[in-house]
Amino acid sequence: MKHLVYFTATDHCVYSWAGGRLELQARFPGDDTGVTGFREYLAGRRGALFYAMADLAGEDFHEELIPYLRGGDREQVVQRRLAQRYRDTRLAAALTLGTVSGERRNERLLLTSFTNTQQLAPWLDALTEAGAKLAGVYSVPLLAPALAARLGVTGGRAFVVSANSAGLRQCFVEEGRLRFARLERTVDMVPDAFAAFVRTETGRLAQYLATLRVLPRDGPPVRAIVIAPPGQRAAFERALVSDARLSFVTLDAAEAARKVGVKSAPAHTGAEQLYLHLAVKRAPREQFARRADRRSYYLWQMQRGLVAAGGLGIAACALVAGANWLDVGGMRGDTRRLRVETEVTTQEYQRITSAFPVTQTTTDNLRATVTEFGNIARRTAAPRDALVYVSKVLNDFPQIELDALQWRLERPDERAAAKPPGGAAPAVAAGGVVQVLELSGRVGAMRRSDYRAITAEVQRFASALRADPAYRVVRSQLPFDVTSEGTLSGDIGTAAETGEAPRFTIVLARNVQ
Amino acid sequence: MNFTAQELKALALPLLACLVLLGAGAALIAWTQQEQRAAGGELAAARDQRAQARERLMRIAEEEKEVKEKLEVYLRLRTLGILGDERRLEWADAMTRIRTQRELPDLRYRVERQRLISSVAGKPANVDFYASAMKVELALLHEGDLLNFLADLRESGNAYYSVKHCSLSRTGAAPATAGLAPRLRAECEIDLITIVDRAAKA
């Protein structure tokens, strides 16, 4: 709940505001007894949020021109001008009216303050002493641009005229900015008389502003938005006849309240209810209170800001987390769907495989058994083919007599380990197996001294063994070593040849398919 | 704006609340990201499994053909006694029978202890391949006896006979008179391979 203190020349009212509903909480006389009563009222409201709104006659408006500045420099110049203009700057404000381009750029300011700030000071001190949070001190004119905007004034010049409890309030707004305002005290009058009074006072104000050259003399008529008290609209419309200077638009108080957003207000409350509501909902940046008077409010705002930042942070995190969670949900849904599809596919597979031939083992073991057995079988060979091959070749070499024959399977790694130095290795693919056939024999029916014939016969035999390209002669040892690396020996001139026929060795190899 | 100690105290709780809220938000994001990663992993695994299942189903015709082909071999291995435990008595019987039928002058053999040569992963159990090395010494009248012996051995079954080595040599000079004395001597080393399928039904 928010509290509003409405200051008038006669008495001060405290309203509570919640959701557009205004309720009168207390009324205090404007003298010292009122301050005392206000202090008692505040006693049980430490930390409560207060808005102060003054609706007083003695409000000064003065236009100034300052160099176009920003930040601290501007603030210093503004404070200096306020100090030059007003004796007490505790409740003084400077409203910008925009910039003026000339030889150098300047800013137009509307300096405003109360003629007698002392009538408000004890009340503000009471708020500070009670630990209340003062959001700001506003005057009705400061809120007039906001009210004009809510009532449909989007630009240009306009008077906003309302019948407040304090009197007839007239505010002049130009391009959405306050230029001037005055409060004329009123007495109880019949509607027609009051309407005529409004007509007269508005005309006088227009005349005054024209004299000050705030209003052009020959300009178009200025709109005057008049908020008639409840039930007096008809009388106002009769009295407020537009002319060349003023164009009147009359609104009923209830209609204005609806447009502004006031949902309810105490009976017999004047048009100040509109300004009070706007002080809470559309408070302008400019107000009268010093920073020191609003310290509790700043602190409260910082507290709220911190909590709000935390709230915003967790909300943002929750959004990201929510998006992540949606993603997780999507993925889990996809996973469930895929698992169901997998299950269905597996069941279909099992249904089909159940119609397969009956095996005495599982399909996996069947495959493993036969595949591995095939691998083993491919790495084995029988000696039969090699022996038959040699036997056929031997048929053409009757002089060759074999003494020994050795057949074996070799793996490349074993062969590499056993390879004689300088010996040729049979070409075989890595991981393959070769069958090796080692033949040892002699050449008979020839004279031992006929080494040329013996050597030629062995070489011819070796060549014949190469007839099948599957077989390779990987090593051969001739009866006589005719290589440059070997030792050649002979026994020439012996009458009779003695000893055994010279021996040879041939090693064949063939890859196992 | 300079703060008094009291004002700082008043700001402490909102600041703490702000930090707690931001921390909770960060933790929430971290948790959902972790869940994302886990769900992503499960999704990838499920995709793989579905792809495998589909591929297996698509290849079922080929698989049926493969099963039929492999089953033929499997049953043949079982019929030959290669699949199953070793049958050493049957091996001894086979050696005796071959020697008698081929009228081999001398036949000596020695079978070493069984060893595991490979174990293939299957489902639900492995398939183990064993080998028992056998050394054979033969006295031969001629070379053909060795080939016949090996052929007979292979035909006898009860194992897969993988010949590793065979050597053939003369025993000495040929006798002057024709007789039945062995002229050749052979030595062979043969692996007797058997297969034990742990998932096979009796």
Side-chain angles (χ1 to χ4, degrees):
Chain A
M1 181 190 290
K2 295 170 182 175
H3 297 80
L4 295 126
V5 188
Y6 178 57
F7 293 98
T8 65
T10 54
D11 53 9
H12 309 327
C13 299
V14 178
Y15 292 91
S16 65
W17 182 97
R21 299 179 191 281
L22 278 170
E23 284 185 18
L24 181 64
Q25 297 286 315
R27 185 187 294 270
F28 304 97
D31 53 15
D32 290 345
T33 58
V35 174
T36 305
F38 187 56
R39 286 181 196 279
E40 289 171 1
Y41 173 80
L42 292 174
R45 291 174 172 77
R46 184 175 182 81
L49 180 60
F50 277 83
Y51 293 76
M53 193 173 75
D55 199 0
L56 301 169
E59 191 171 354
D60 177 65
F61 297 96
H62 176 73
E63 202 172 312
E64 282 272 354
L65 208 61
I66 63 167
Y68 183 76
L69 297 168
R70 279 287 174 268
D73 294 340
R74 179 183 181 277
E75 186 62 24
Q76 280 186 1
V77 171
V78 167
Q79 290 303 324
R80 193 162 57 242
R81 294 294 173 94
L82 287 171
Q84 288 168 354
R85 176 73 185 174
Y86 304 112
R87 186 168 52 85
D88 182 1
T89 58
R90 181 177 180 181
L91 294 171
L95 285 61
T96 184
L97 296 177
T99 57
V100 179
S101 298
E103 286 185 6
R104 63 178 188 175
R105 200 174 179 192
N106 292 318
E107 182 182 2
R108 285 167 63 211
L109 288 179
L110 184 69
L111 305 183
T112 175
S113 184
F114 301 98
T115 310
N116 180 14
T117 57
Q118 290 306 311
Q119 60 183 325
L120 296 176
W123 300 78
L124 299 180
D125 291 341
L127 283 169
T128 306
E129 288 161 12
K133 297 187 289 279
L134 180 62
V137 177
Y138 304 92
S139 68
V140 167
L142 290 190
L143 294 158
L147 179 59
R150 302 298 288 180
L151 298 179
V153 178
T154 55
R157 300 182 178 95
F159 291 103
V160 179
V161 182
S162 59
N164 297 358
S165 299
L168 182 67
R169 172 58 75 176
Q170 296 168 298
C171 301
F172 175 58
V173 176
E174 186 178 40
E175 301 299 342
R177 291 189 174 104
L178 177 70
R179 291 297 305 277
F180 188 79
R182 65 186 286 262
L183 179 68
E184 188 64 33
R185 299 197 67 172
T186 56
V187 292
D188 285 341
M189 287 182 274
V190 295
D192 288 331
F194 187 48
F197 176 71
V198 170
R199 177 73 180 84
T200 307
E201 290 300 318
T202 308
R204 285 179 60 198
L205 178 60
Q207 182 64 42
Y208 174 68
L209 293 176
T211 307
L212 294 177
R213 297 182 187 279
V214 175
L215 273 179
R217 287 186 181 279
D218 300 321
V222 179
R223 271 184 299 172
I225 312 293
V226 180
I227 300 162
Q232 298 184 26
R233 183 176 180 181
F236 271 61
E237 283 182 342
R238 280 195 302 274
L240 302 177
V241 179
S242 300
D243 56 18
R245 183 173 291 270
L246 292 168
S247 169
F248 286 98
V249 176
T250 306
L251 291 172
D252 186 67
E255 184 185 355
R258 185 180 53 78
K259 285 189 174 179
V260 169
V262 178
K263 291 180 180 167
S264 71
H268 309 299
T269 305
E272 69 268 19
Q273 62 175 286
L274 307 176
Y275 297 99
L276 290 169
H277 178 81
L278 289 170
V280 175
K281 295 293 287 182
R282 295 278 186 274
R285 196 166 56 85
E286 294 91 352
Q287 52 83 43
F288 293 102
R290 296 175 306 179
R291 183 175 286 271
D293 292 327
R294 303 174 77 199
R295 194 171 180 89
S296 296
Y297 178 68
Y298 288 135
L299 192 66
W300 176 70
Q301 278 190 319
M302 290 184 75
Q303 289 173 326
R304 281 174 46 131
L306 282 170
V307 175
L312 279 175
I314 198 169
C317 291
L319 275 176
V320 174
N324 288 348
W325 194 247
L326 282 176
D327 192 27
V328 169
M331 285 195 284
R332 284 185 176 161
D334 288 347
T335 304
R336 280 194 294 274
R337 181 177 53 77
L338 289 171
R339 281 179 180 159
V340 169
E341 286 178 16
T342 305
E343 185 62 28
V344 168
T345 308
T346 303
Q347 285 173 357
E348 178 70 6
Y349 174 82
Q350 286 170 348
R351 190 185 62 75
I352 296 172
T353 52
S354 64
F356 279 12
V358 177
T359 60
Q360 292 167 318
T361 185
T362 63
T363 305
D364 287 322
N365 277 35
L366 173 71
R367 186 181 290 121
T369 303
V370 176
T371 304
E372 181 62 11
F373 177 75
N375 292 338
I376 291 172
R378 273 192 293 278
R379 292 195 298 267
T380 60
R384 181 185 182 84
D385 291 347
L387 296 182
V388 169
Y389 176 68
V390 170
S391 179
K392 283 181 180 174
V393 174
L394 274 174
N395 286 339
D396 297 334
F397 294 88
Q399 300 91 335
I400 300 290
E401 294 178 10
L402 294 185
D403 292 329
L405 185 149
Q406 194 180 75
W407 178 93
R408 63 181 181 274
L409 286 181
E410 278 187 1
R411 291 174 183 278
D413 47 352
E414 292 171 356
R415 200 173 56 251
K419 187 178 71 175
V428 63
V433 178
V434 287
Q435 47 179 319
V436 177
L437 191 62
E438 187 172 324
L439 309 171
S440 299
R442 296 170 293 178
V443 181
M446 281 189 186
R447 286 194 306 139
R448 189 171 182 276
S449 57
D450 192 358
Y451 49 83
R452 282 187 181 278
I454 291 171
T455 301
E457 186 65 5
V458 172
Q459 286 176 334
R460 203 163 66 81
F461 178 57
S463 296
L465 288 171
R466 289 194 198 98
D468 185 341
Y471 288 93
R472 304 178 300 281
V473 175
V474 297
R475 186 165 67 87
S476 61
Q477 185 179 345
L478 296 174
F480 304 100
D481 192 348
V482 293
T483 62
S484 300
E485 290 78 20
T487 303
L488 179 65
S489 63
D491 186 9
I492 302 167
T494 305
E497 292 183 334
T498 59
E500 293 181 346
R503 291 178 179 279
F504 68 88
T505 302
I506 296 173
V507 180
L508 285 177
R510 177 180 179 161
N511 290 345
V512 174
Q513 298 299 318
Chain B
M1 186 172 177
N2 296 322
F3 295 103
T4 63
Q6 194 176 357
E7 287 171 341
L8 286 174
K9 196 175 170 185
L11 286 173
L13 192 60
L15 182 63
L16 182 66
C18 177
L19 293 175
V20 167
L21 288 170
L22 291 176
L28 190 63
I29 289 178
W31 176 68
T32 54
Q33 284 176 339
Q34 189 182 350
E35 290 292 309
Q36 256 184 323
R37 283 191 291 275
E42 287 175 7
L43 180 61
R47 277 203 184 109
D48 286 348
Q49 285 170 358
R50 186 188 64 169
Q52 286 173 9
R54 280 186 172 176
E55 189 180 353
R56 200 164 62 158
L57 187 62
M58 277 163 41
R59 291 180 56 246
I60 199 158
E62 293 172 28
E63 192 170 326
E64 185 176 14
K65 185 182 170 190
E66 182 194 3
V67 166
K68 280 181 180 170
E69 289 171 356
K70 285 193 165 43
L71 183 60
E72 201 174 315
V73 178
Y74 189 88
L75 293 175
R76 177 77 177 144
L77 291 173
R78 181 175 279 269
T79 305
L80 287 173
I82 297 171
L83 199 61
D85 294 328
E86 279 192 340
R87 295 184 176 93
R88 293 205 169 204
L89 287 176
E90 278 77 0
W91 295 346
D93 289 346
M95 298 296 274
T96 305
R97 191 170 60 249
I98 292 168
R99 179 181 181 275
T100 306
Q101 285 177 352
R102 294 293 177 185
E103 296 177 343
L104 297 173
D106 190 19
L107 170 61
R108 295 177 190 179
Y109 62 90
R110 175 188 170 89
V111 180
E112 303 294 338
R113 60 184 297 185
Q114 191 185 47
R115 68 183 195 281
L116 180 70
I117 56 171
S118 70
S119 182
V120 184
K123 198 184 279 185
N126 285 7
V127 181
D128 297 328
F129 289 75
Y130 293 96
S132 298
M134 179 172 73
K135 287 184 180 171
V136 187
E137 292 179 15
L138 293 155
L140 306 171
L141 294 177
H142 58 86
E143 302 87 356
D145 284 344
L146 175 62
L147 301 179
N148 290 335
F149 167 76
L150 293 174
D152 290 348
L153 197 60
R154 183 172 289 241
E155 287 299 315
S156 69
N158 295 316
Y160 178 74
Y161 299 90
S162 171
V163 184
K164 297 291 177 190
H165 168 265
C166 265
S167 63
L168 201 61
S169 59
R170 294 183 191 279
T171 53
T177 56
L180 294 177
R183 298 176 58 222
L184 298 170
R185 184 157 194 82
E187 288 181 12
C188 286
E189 192 179 313
I190 304 166
D191 271 352
L192 281 62
I193 296 172
T194 52
I195 307 166
V196 176
D197 177 4
R198 307 279 176 203
K201 294 166 192 164

